[in-house]
Amino acid sequence: MSEDLNIIAGTKAERYESLIPQIKGLLDGEPDLIANLANTVGALKEQFDWLWVGFYLVKPSAKPSTEEPAFAKATAEKEELVLGLFQGPVACTRISKGKGVCGTSWEKAQTIIVPDVEKFPGHIACSSLSRSEIVVPVIRNNKIVGVLDVDSSDLNHFDETDKVYLEKFVALIEF
Ligand code: SME
């Protein structure tokens, strides 16, 4: 079976609309989360050719091996964002709650649009080419389970249309 994506020109909304049934088709009947995150990210990257698009997932914090057992236990119970499936340049692997755009989206449980990353206090620069960014939280059963992060090499690239559609896309994936 061919899995070719139909890439279209057109307005931003038209390009998102064209992707919805195609991503639904790719996810349909597939229970594996990694496969579904990979295909969602792949389809978005192919259609929009952003600098970076990917998921960070909420996971237990890594505990350094040198820690005292009691402290290690406390840190093990904490959570952080860990790099998941993505397309684009290599990126930082772990982000704490409240840090950077991703950690802020997690903490506030809301989508954050950053028109100019240099003007976002605490922005984490994984790539020096990134100029603007949008981060969408993935919420399941009233808990944030991850975020979808998209970076553009253009300033002011993301707007309400991206917010509306990217929120729709993350809702399609079963976590
Ligand atoms: N810029 C993000 C970090 C992740 S990279 O952009 C892939 C942030 O400030 O959280």
Side-chain angles (χ1 to χ4, degrees):
M1 189 180 92
S2 164
E3 298 289 358
D4 286 347
L5 208 64
N6 180 28
I7 302 301
I8 66 156
T11 66
K12 191 184 269 188
E14 285 166 348
R15 287 181 286 155
Y16 277 118
E17 285 290 345
S18 144
L19 268 191
I20 290 176
Q22 299 191 77
I23 289 189
K24 277 186 180 165
L26 289 166
L27 302 183
D28 188 37
E30 177 51 68
D32 190 89
L33 179 61
I34 290 180
N36 289 334
L37 296 179
N39 260 342
T40 301
V41 162
L44 286 166
K45 173 78 173 167
E46 216 178 322
Q47 171 66 71
F48 291 99
D49 198 26
W50 294 309
L51 173 67
W52 197 93
V53 49
F55 286 91
Y56 280 88
L57 302 176
V58 174
K59 294 192 174 179
S61 298
K63 55 176 187 206
S65 55
T66 53
E67 285 175 357
E68 294 293 323
F71 184 60
K73 183 173 180 294
T75 53
E77 283 160 7
K78 282 172 56 181
E79 292 180 317
E80 60 193 341
L81 289 171
V82 182
L83 183 63
L85 279 296
F86 73 95
Q87 292 211 6
V90 293
C92 47
T93 52
R94 292 176 184 270
I95 299 174
S96 302
K97 198 177 216 174
K99 300 290 179 195
V101 189
C102 293
T104 304
S105 170
W106 178 19
E107 185 170 57
K108 295 190 169 168
Q110 67 189 37
T111 296
I112 298 182
I113 296 172
V114 181
D116 180 349
V117 295
E118 288 183 12
K119 295 191 175 138
F120 187 93
H123 168 258
I124 301 165
C126 290
S127 165
S128 59
L129 296 174
S130 176
R131 290 280 169 273
S132 58
E133 182 164 0
I134 182 169
V135 179
V136 178
V138 184
I139 304 170
R140 296 292 180 273
N141 301 319
N142 291 321
K143 188 180 182 305
I144 311 285
V145 294
V147 299
L148 172 64
D149 180 17
V150 189
D151 287 75
S152 170
S153 49
D154 298 324
L155 275 175
N156 228 340
H157 189 78
F158 302 104
D159 56 24
E160 279 299 308
T161 302
D162 298 285
K163 175 179 185 298
V164 167
Y165 282 101
L166 292 175
E167 287 176 356
K168 274 188 196 180
F169 282 111
V170 301
L172 293 176
I173 304 167
E174 206 170 301
F175 273 78

